[in-house]
Amino acid sequence: MEPSPSPSILLRRAKLKVTPTRVALLRILASAKHPLSIAKIARALRQSADRVTLYRALDALAKAGIVRRIDLQHGHAHYELAQDDHHHLVCTSCGRTASIRLPHRLTVSPVTLRRTGFARVTRHALEFFGLCRSCAATAPRVSGRRN
Amino acid sequence: MEPSPSPSILLRRAKLKVTPTRVALLRILASAKHPLSIAKIARALRQSADRVTLYRALDALAKAGIVRRIDLQHGHAHYELAQDDHHHLVCTSCGRTASIRLPHRLTVSPVTLRRTGFARVTRHALEFFGLCRSCAATAPRVSGRRN
DNA sequence: ATATAAACGCAATATTGTTGCATTTACCTT
DNA sequence: AAGGTAAATGCAACAATATTGCGTTTATAT
């Protein structure tokens, strides 16, 4: 796990202004072990920033490739720093997540690309869903929203 | 491409009641070439069903494994019949989608499973994002919501 | 120091999805 | 075929998530 560059360096590289909100935001994401929901990020920022600013900042950071927006199928987006190439394993019962790596890189072959009329693939999203051990032990719930 | 069983057979198999709404819904999905948003499905049903019913029906069908809920990162869910094992290639500019197949099956190794504290994996979601040829030719747009 | 574009905060609004409850309906049993 | 029952539906209200416009503030290049 490489230490990722400091928030301000990341921001400057992307030609984004280095503002307190963005720095704090990136610090929060950097110290998180799992993808965070907007609600959790907002809580961590303790209303030092408006919701709208948060959305806009995450949007800008995602476009710059600094953060990744992830769908854990909880009904709202989650965000993490775009560091290494990993994927997520999500418990559909309690929402727990774990990071995993695949032994091979996921690619779309040039032939498939041509057949489908696409010019190029820029990224992909892969999540695995299942049950963690403790949830598998108890009666599996199915519903509800989790962070 | 195998012809999929009729809506009523699918529903009966899953011990779900065969109602006009569900049959119509499944027919719409069966004739769709791409995953559909709730909005599009609702439009196709021409308010013969309440929106709530639609949500509940899709939920039941997804739980039964008859339909799949897909995130194309347009900010809302898309649905398709759960037929064969394919994935999607999505144009981030115009929203076009194409179906693709991977040469290998995606799995999580038992070792990884144990290391992460998970009991089992039940499904996964994989989408590729990129640019289709016509969008790659023109100036790439970035924003906006598409169906 | 200052000009300028980017970022921000606030308010309003849109969109997506959910819940409770009374009514209707599919379908199983007889 | 009739009737009982749980499932499914519709309506209304609500909740959560996300977006837009606009006037003000701020980072940063000069």
Side-chain angles (χ1 to χ4, degrees):
Chain A
M1 204 71 85
E2 293 181 23
S4 80
S6 77
S8 43
I9 291 181
L10 285 173
L11 288 166
R12 258 191 282 272
R13 257 191 216 159
K15 296 196 205 309
L16 292 172
K17 286 192 179 175
V18 180
T19 69
T21 299
R22 289 173 174 175
V23 172
L25 176 53
L26 286 174
R27 271 206 251 273
I28 289 165
L29 289 179
S31 63
K33 291 183 196 67
H34 301 290
L36 297 178
S37 65
I38 295 247
K40 277 203 177 167
I41 296 171
R43 225 174 296 142
L45 283 173
R46 275 187 266 166
Q47 70 238 129
S48 73
D50 194 87
R51 275 283 163 117
V52 178
T53 301
L54 208 47
Y55 277 108
R56 288 196 269 228
L58 286 168
D59 208 50
L61 291 167
K63 269 180 192 139
I66 296 173
V67 307
R68 260 197 290 263
R69 186 189 167 127
I70 298 166
D71 177 45
L72 302 181
Q73 310 217 351
H74 290 168
H76 51 261
H78 285 70
Y79 291 87
E80 70 177 3
L81 279 193
Q83 308 205 58
D84 40 23
D85 218 358
H86 67 269
H87 302 287
H88 299 97
L89 184 45
V90 185
C91 177
T92 53
S93 179
C94 71
R96 245 193 83 206
T97 64
S99 291
I100 60 179
R101 281 161 183 286
L102 291 187
H104 42 75
R105 276 196 41 73
L106 285 173
T107 56
V108 175
S109 75
V111 175
T112 301
L113 220 51
R114 199 166 47 246
R115 181 179 58 73
T116 54
F118 272 72
R120 61 172 175 279
V121 169
T122 52
R123 64 193 171 85
H124 64 263
L126 171 60
E127 270 74 47
F128 291 92
F129 299 93
L131 285 178
C132 73
R133 271 205 286 271
S134 57
C135 286
T138 65
R141 293 190 290 127
V142 181
S143 65
R145 285 191 165 190
R146 291 152 299 261
N147 287 335
Chain B
M1 206 68 91
E2 293 180 23
S4 81
S6 77
S8 42
I9 290 181
L10 285 172
L11 289 166
R12 259 192 282 270
R13 258 191 215 158
K15 295 197 208 306
L16 293 172
K17 287 191 179 176
V18 181
T19 70
T21 299
R22 288 173 176 176
V23 172
L25 177 53
L26 287 174
R27 271 206 252 272
I28 289 166
L29 289 180
S31 63
K33 290 183 197 68
H34 303 290
L36 296 178
S37 65
I38 296 246
K40 274 203 179 169
I41 297 171
R43 226 173 296 142
L45 283 173
R46 274 186 268 165
Q47 70 236 125
S48 73
D50 193 87
R51 246 180 53 260
V52 177
T53 302
L54 207 46
Y55 277 108
R56 289 197 269 229
L58 286 167
D59 208 51
L61 291 168
K63 272 182 190 135
I66 298 174
V67 308
R68 260 196 292 262
R69 186 189 167 127
I70 299 165
D71 177 46
L72 303 180
Q73 310 217 351
H74 291 167
H76 51 261
H78 285 70
Y79 292 87
E80 69 177 3
L81 279 192
Q83 309 205 58
D84 39 24
D85 218 358
H86 66 269
H87 302 288
H88 299 96
L89 183 45
V90 185
C91 177
T92 54
S93 178
C94 70
R96 246 193 84 205
T97 64
S99 292
I100 59 179
R101 284 160 180 286
L102 289 187
H104 43 74
R105 276 198 39 78
L106 285 173
T107 56
V108 176
S109 75
V111 174
T112 301
L113 221 51
R114 196 163 54 247
R115 180 179 59 73
T116 54
F118 272 71
R120 62 173 174 280
V121 169
T122 51
R123 64 193 170 86
H124 63 264
L126 171 60
E127 267 75 48
F128 291 92
F129 299 93
L131 285 179
C132 72
R133 270 205 287 270
S134 57
C135 286
T138 65
R141 292 189 293 127
V142 181
S143 65
R145 286 192 160 189
R146 292 152 297 259
N147 286 336

